[in-house]
Amino acid sequence: MSRTPDLPPPRAVIFDLDGTLVDTVGARIRAWMRVFEEEGIPAGERHVAELIGSDGKRLARAVATRAGRELSEEEAARVDRRSGAIYSEINTDPRPLPGASDLLRELDRRGVRWAIATSSLRDQVGASVAALRLGVAPRIVDGSGVSRAKPAPDLLLAAAEQLGMPPRECWYVGDATPDMAAAAAAGMPAVGVTAGSAVDAEALRGSGASIVLATLDEVRELLPPG
């Protein structure tokens, strides 16, 4: 675990979903690998894992380009939709990652506003959000609500605006390199968590993480006394 005294206390916290609050990155990777096989596009699992968390059309294009094939906007959107459909088929029993429920409850107890900002489309997040067993539906900004998903900062900025907080006073908690890049671009402190990640702490730090922790329990411990 790496701590830094420069991380300001948050007035709000924005979370990624897959791999951060719920243990679903493996299902995401399997869905992408299946759709690339269907499309006849050679894909390396490690390369796909490194791109998890980014805009689906961007991911599709990146993998196809490496394989020597260029996808049009329409083709990339179709591949993205198909990956989402496969993911919904296999993501039948998602589990919260350790510490997720305790952290969200603690934020509620303290009156700290929080939201979810995910590149996934709205129809792909239902099972994962349900797995958190929240008493009230959370605020969610998904990929359909912005023109550019992660690693662009648009999702995070939209979430901060909905929470009524300046970006610099929000933490963004995520597990993927596009999460950290988006937070850096948004001017938010980026908190990387490796428990459900497909990449290591070094990759998260290299993408802009202000701090990298092992679990969401450590995020909770990092909150100032209150």
Side-chain angles (χ1 to χ4, degrees):
M1 179 174 68
S2 172
R3 292 183 180 271
T4 170
D6 298 326
L7 193 68
R11 293 186 62 200
V13 182
I14 303 170
F15 294 93
D16 174 52
L17 182 60
D18 291 318
T20 300
L21 294 175
V22 286
D23 192 10
T24 52
V25 166
R28 282 285 181 194
I29 293 172
R30 291 195 301 275
W32 279 111
M33 294 302 290
R34 273 181 55 184
V35 76
F36 288 130
E37 183 178 6
E38 290 176 1
E39 293 289 327
I41 299 173
E45 187 168 322
R46 181 175 180 179
H47 184 217
V48 171
E50 291 170 349
L51 294 168
I52 291 295
S54 62
D55 174 78
K57 291 183 290 186
R58 180 177 182 270
L59 190 157
R61 284 201 194 95
V63 172
T65 297
R66 175 173 284 196
R69 176 174 162 186
E70 296 301 323
L71 297 180
S72 68
E73 178 73 15
E74 294 75 17
E75 288 172 325
R78 176 178 54 78
V79 172
D80 183 21
R81 287 194 301 271
R82 176 58 181 152
S83 174
I86 295 171
Y87 172 75
S88 295
E89 291 173 6
I90 63 180
N91 186 41
T92 57
D93 188 27
R95 303 296 176 88
L97 280 157
S101 298
D102 288 342
L103 174 56
L104 298 178
R105 281 197 297 266
E106 180 65 15
L107 293 174
D108 288 338
R109 185 187 71 78
R110 293 175 179 230
V112 176
R113 301 177 187 177
W114 62 273
I116 293 170
T118 173
S119 293
S120 300
L121 301 180
R122 181 60 63 110
D123 60 2
Q124 299 174 19
V125 305
S128 294
V129 171
L132 296 172
R133 300 186 182 279
L134 303 170
V136 178
R139 189 185 305 272
I140 300 173
V141 180
D142 64 86
S144 64
V146 296
S147 58
R148 301 180 304 164
K150 294 178 286 186
D154 303 32
L155 279 166
L156 282 62
L157 295 173
E161 182 176 7
Q162 288 192 22
L163 291 169
M165 293 293 175
R168 66 182 179 278
E169 296 182 7
C170 303
W171 287 0
Y172 188 63
V173 181
D175 69 291
T177 55
D179 296 331
M180 304 298 99
M188 291 183 187
V191 180
V193 180
T194 59
S197 180
V199 298
D200 60 18
E202 182 178 357
L204 296 175
R205 282 191 288 267
S207 298
S210 306
I211 187 171
V212 179
L213 305 170
T215 68
L216 292 169
D217 284 325
E218 292 184 11
V219 178
R220 180 166 51 86
E221 292 168 4
L222 197 64
L223 295 171

